[in-house]
Amino acid sequence: EAQVTQNPRYLITVTGKKLTVTCSQNMNHEYMSWYRQDPGLGLRQIYYSMNVEVTDKGDVPEGYKVSRKEKRNFPLILESPSPNQTSLYFCASSSQGNNQPQHFGDGTRLSIL
Amino acid sequence: AQKVTQAQTEISVVEKEDVTLDCVYETRDTTYYLFWYKQPPSGELVFLIRRNSFDEQNEISGRYSWNFQKSTSSFNFTITASQVVDSAVYFCAPGTGANNLFFGTGTRLTVIP
């Protein structure tokens, strides 16, 4: 089954404790991205990657890191999480082409205390 | 720069009523794409439809229809004979590509049985 898999689905942690949210897709998509969803703000893009070893900042990259060492994986890293990073996070992938729809994972709800 | 407005924050309808969700966007790009996504209570994001800016042909798919009018910068979505399962948050997302997609703040639709 074609899918984007995020882990964990839920995480409660404390300020300053490094964490990684994994994202994997099995559709051989070139393009992957991370969004955060906050009430009243819709989805905002954090980082995106056009292909392996190619990443770029989205609209709200501060406090986040990503890497794209393999085509299928695009982990999101919070080196020193803070409470303002409490949010619902989505990973997405799509094939090449500006008109291609993005396929989203089921989301990861992070709570930073 | 792009901007998208979903002025309807929440809509409630009684089952079997028709409902239209509005989306107005601003862009200086001559070629762009318009997407609608659905987020049911379970939280995942589901792709519904994509339109290209150079294709103003409207579309009907079952109970769903879309009205794209470039002259008024609107890309509205209508559900005919609404059902309880249509209850969700609906996002309009215009952009020039997967790395430049702007999501609206969403419209929460509640269908009352």
Side-chain angles (χ1 to χ4, degrees):
Chain A
E1 179 188 354
Q3 60 185 2
V4 178
T5 304
Q6 295 178 226
N7 279 297
R9 292 291 313 280
Y10 304 92
L11 179 64
I12 302 174
T13 188
V14 296
T15 299
K17 186 176 182 181
K18 179 180 179 181
L19 67 91
T20 299
V21 184
T22 63
C23 175
S24 180
Q25 51 94 5
N26 62 1
M27 296 168 278
N28 201 36
H29 284 165
E30 292 79 15
Y31 179 86
M32 296 186 75
S33 62
W34 275 102
Y35 293 86
R36 60 178 288 174
Q37 182 179 9
D38 301 290
L41 297 177
L43 276 80
R44 295 177 293 168
Q45 190 177 61
I46 302 171
Y47 268 95
Y48 64 92
S49 169
M50 302 298 285
N51 215 321
V52 176
E53 301 293 359
V54 180
T55 63
D56 211 340
K57 296 178 180 179
D59 298 316
V60 288
E62 292 75 26
Y64 304 95
K65 287 176 58 178
V66 294
S67 68
R68 188 89 182 273
K69 297 177 181 175
E70 304 166 287
K71 196 172 188 179
R72 64 183 293 129
N73 296 323
F74 191 45
L76 179 69
I77 304 160
L78 284 71
E79 293 272 4
S80 183
S82 62
N84 64 10
Q85 293 178 297
T86 293
S87 186
L88 177 59
Y89 292 85
F90 286 97
C91 179
S93 73
S94 64
S95 54
Q96 275 187 335
N98 289 331
N99 64 344
Q100 295 303 305
Q102 295 188 54
H103 300 261
F104 285 85
D106 288 339
T108 295
R109 186 166 294 280
L110 287 183
S111 294
I112 315 296
L113 304 179
Chain B
Q2 304 205 29
K3 179 182 177 182
V4 55
T5 301
Q6 293 183 256
Q8 304 152 307
T9 305
E10 295 189 26
I11 300 177
S12 293
V13 298
V14 176
E15 197 171 22
K16 298 185 182 178
E17 288 184 345
D18 299 346
V19 57
T20 295
L21 309 181
D22 299 331
C23 174
V24 176
Y25 59 91
E26 296 176 23
T27 180
R28 295 180 180 176
D29 299 298
T30 55
T31 299
Y32 51 90
Y33 307 92
L34 299 152
F35 298 83
W36 275 95
Y37 284 85
K38 173 183 179 181
Q39 187 176 39
S42 49
E44 72 272 22
L45 284 157
V46 179
F47 165 68
L48 293 177
I49 189 173
R50 169 197 65 216
R51 304 303 295 173
N52 305 325
S53 59
F54 44 85
D55 178 7
E56 291 194 63
Q57 182 177 3
N58 293 315
E59 182 173 330
I60 297 175
S61 175
R63 296 186 299 108
Y64 298 162
S65 62
W66 290 268
N67 187 344
F68 173 40
Q69 294 191 338
K70 199 170 183 178
S71 60
T72 57
S73 297
S74 66
F75 185 40
N76 298 334
F77 170 42
T78 297
I79 303 174
T80 303
S82 59
Q83 301 175 1
V84 174
V85 293
D86 296 326
S87 295
V89 180
Y90 291 82
F91 292 97
C92 175
T96 55
N99 62 322
N100 190 24
L101 204 61
F102 288 83
F103 281 80
T105 52
T107 296
R108 181 179 298 278
L109 172 65
T110 300
V111 181
I112 303 167

